[in-house]
Amino acid sequence: QVQLVESGGGLVQAGGSLRLSCVASGSIASSNDMSWFRQAPGKQRELVAGITSDGRTSYADSVTGRFTISRDNAKNTLYLQMNSLKPEDTAVYSCRGYFTGYTSWGQGTQVTVSS
């Protein structure tokens, strides 16, 4: 099964930017869709952004216009470009991929936005 590993998290001031990466151990070209989720302390995990195999994207209302999801099938990598970050974006961000017959999750990367 394909394993996913996120990176790119860290501490940033409000208004700053980060780019998260999710590297797959195998091909993501066969994945039906891939997504980014986040979970803040004491809150439920929420869907942040998704991208289909043919490149169609969708976003949570809270991040529309600030975050951009993309995928590079040649590099087996999913990205999340996050701009104009706000303190309420602080959370652990995880990627998820739907593959034939199974779902794979990464371990998550912490994003902390200071005010």
Side-chain angles (χ1 to χ4, degrees):
Q1 294 189 349
V2 175
Q3 306 297 314
L4 303 175
V5 178
E6 302 94 337
S7 63
L11 174 64
V12 64
Q13 289 187 334
S17 299
L18 284 174
R19 187 176 80 155
L20 305 183
S21 298
C22 170
V23 178
S25 61
S27 174
I28 65 170
S30 61
S31 68
N32 294 321
D33 68 72
M34 299 194 74
S35 306
W36 285 98
F37 285 77
R38 67 186 181 186
Q39 187 167 22
K43 296 186 177 180
Q44 290 189 335
R45 185 168 59 192
E46 64 171 338
L47 175 63
V48 176
I51 185 167
T52 64
S53 57
D54 59 357
R56 287 175 289 125
T57 59
S58 59
Y59 299 92
D61 289 343
S62 59
V63 306
T64 297
R66 301 187 298 121
F67 290 11
T68 302
I69 188 172
S70 61
R71 62 193 291 171
D72 186 335
N73 289 345
K75 295 183 178 180
N76 294 322
T77 303
L78 176 73
Y79 300 100
L80 185 68
Q81 177 66 44
M82 305 186 295
N83 299 328
S84 302
L85 283 161
K86 304 175 180 180
E88 51 264 43
D89 294 318
T90 295
V92 174
Y93 286 71
S94 302
C95 59
R96 182 191 71 183
Y98 277 130
F99 298 91
T100 303
Y102 67 97
T103 300
S104 186
W105 286 88
Q107 84 291 345
T109 185
Q110 176 70 46
V111 171
T112 303
V113 184
S114 63
S115 57

